[in-house]
Amino acid sequence: MKLSPQTTLLVMALEMEARGKIEALGFPIVFTGVGKVNAAHALTKYLALCEHMGHMPKLVLNIGTAGSRQFKAGSLVACHRFEQRDMDVTPLGMKPYETPFDDRPLTIEHPKIFTD
């Protein structure tokens, strides 16, 4: 899939991550703040506005920075596996990271979009 500013929305947590370089590419960008709740809230608001205005993006690409012991700084990593690790209701008898009333697996995998 070809990325185009007319059809692709970029999402990232903080402007300081972009350092002006991402903005210079001309894509619309939503800066959400840190964390998945902030990301979900900001993206939902933006997409609702897009729907209202009649110009929904065809692709939403979440980009950003994160630390790693496995990858060198500056590496581009295309994530395709996501793990729930911030839920702890073990005092209620649940397994670590398990979310009550949610039968989705703790690990979700998607096909790789980008090739190495």
Side-chain angles (χ1 to χ4, degrees), residues 28-93:
I29 303 173
V30 174
F31 294 104
T32 64
V34 174
K36 63 185 179 183
V37 173
N38 286 337
H41 179 257
L43 182 57
T44 299
K45 277 180 56 176
Y46 187 87
L47 291 176
L49 179 62
C50 287
E51 184 176 49
H52 178 73
M53 302 297 284
H55 59 85
M56 286 291 280
K58 294 194 182 305
L59 176 67
V60 176
L61 187 58
N62 184 6
I63 61 176
T65 59
S68 173
R69 287 183 256 159
Q70 184 177 357
F71 300 101
K72 290 184 180 181
S75 295
L76 178 62
V77 180
C79 300
H80 63 95
R81 181 178 176 172
F82 305 88
E83 296 187 15
Q84 169 70 293
R85 290 199 179 176
D86 63 348
M87 177 68 64
D88 183 2
V89 290
T90 52
L92 298 177

